[in-house]
Amino acid sequence: MDSLYDLIDSFFYGLYDNLVVPVLHWLSLALGLLLLPVSTFSPAVQILYVSILGALVSRLLARRFKTKHEKALQAQFKEKLSALKYTGAVEDPKLEKVVRHGIHQDADKVYETIILDKFVEMGITYFFPLFFFLIWLEYGVFTPQQLKILTGSPWAWQTASGIRFSAAYLYLYGYNIALLALWLASLLYRLARRKLARNGPADGGGPTA
């Protein structure tokens, strides 16, 4: 039995040393290229720059997940509920109650699928860019020891009032603020497009002589 455990341990250690470590190494080098445009700035600026990139990745993933499947589920849910208006034709009140209950159950199943898809979407579009870049910054690029070497302080940013931010917390705040700003910009853009669509193209043709 011990030899089996040793064999399993050696397999996973070999897998980690020969696959995981090289992949993480090359991934770290690839991510390091993202910092080249701001490499001359302070660690705080670099972290905020990455937080904006992370927010952009999140928005791109969110747009990618606005699939036809979600639209089909929404249409199916509305179709299920619209069938309720036909239950009034059932003359037996007890039978009508059973039919309405069945329709509600079918609609609830579709709604549960929609909610589940939303949770999966949030996990991929929000939490993946959040933790992916956060872990890289906190444990790979701007560790407290590295910040100490670069700035003389283990903190990525420190305010005059004494508030201190590690690389992880600074990225977390920057990421969410950037996401909020992008969401507001997208909302304003959609509102402007709807307003232009309602007003229609301006009539540029003047009277001719």
Side-chain angles (χ1 to χ4, degrees), residues 5-208:
Y5 288 147
D6 292 338
L7 181 62
I8 293 174
D9 287 342
S10 62
F11 170 77
F12 282 107
Y13 277 123
L15 186 66
Y16 178 79
D17 291 335
N18 297 303
L19 180 62
V20 177
V21 171
V23 168
L24 292 177
H25 174 71
W26 287 108
L27 183 60
S28 179
L29 290 177
L31 289 173
L33 297 176
L34 297 176
L35 294 175
L36 287 180
V38 293
S39 59
T40 58
F41 293 91
S42 66
V45 173
Q46 295 184 54
I47 293 168
L48 292 175
Y49 167 77
V50 175
S51 71
I52 295 173
L53 293 180
L56 289 172
V57 170
S58 176
R59 292 293 298 177
L60 290 173
L61 289 174
R63 290 188 62 181
R64 182 72 176 175
F65 269 79
K66 299 298 181 183
T67 59
K68 294 180 179 179
H69 177 64
E70 179 182 351
K71 294 179 180 179
L73 286 175
Q74 295 283 359
Q76 186 178 354
F77 179 70
K78 292 179 181 178
E79 182 182 354
K80 295 287 185 183
L81 290 181
S82 65
L84 289 171
K85 61 185 178 182
Y86 299 111
T87 59
V90 180
E91 297 180 356
D92 188 348
K94 292 183 178 180
L95 180 59
E96 180 185 359
K97 185 177 180 180
V98 172
V99 173
R100 291 179 67 87
H101 180 69
I103 293 174
H104 278 295
Q105 281 188 325
D106 290 341
D108 287 342
K109 290 179 181 178
V110 178
Y111 187 72
E112 287 172 3
T113 304
I114 294 174
I115 295 299
L116 182 60
D117 285 355
K118 285 294 182 183
F119 275 111
V120 174
E121 176 187 338
M122 177 176 288
I124 295 176
T125 62
Y126 176 78
F127 288 108
F128 173 71
L130 171 63
F131 288 110
F132 181 78
F133 290 109
L134 184 149
I135 292 172
W136 171 61
L137 290 171
E138 176 71 14
Y139 298 103
V141 185
F142 296 119
T143 63
Q145 295 79 9
Q146 187 65 21
L147 288 172
K148 186 77 173 178
I149 296 172
L150 294 173
T151 65
S153 170
W155 306 103
W157 186 41
Q158 185 172 350
T159 66
S161 60
I163 300 176
R164 299 170 176 176
F165 292 93
S166 65
Y169 273 101
L170 185 58
Y171 173 80
L172 178 64
Y173 280 104
Y175 176 78
N176 285 289
I177 291 172
L179 267 182
L180 179 61
L182 290 173
W183 178 79
L184 288 174
S186 176
L187 177 63
L188 292 175
Y189 175 73
R190 290 198 302 269
L191 291 175
R193 285 193 61 182
R194 289 176 185 173
K195 185 176 181 181
L196 289 174
R198 281 199 305 267
N199 294 338
D203 186 7
T208 58

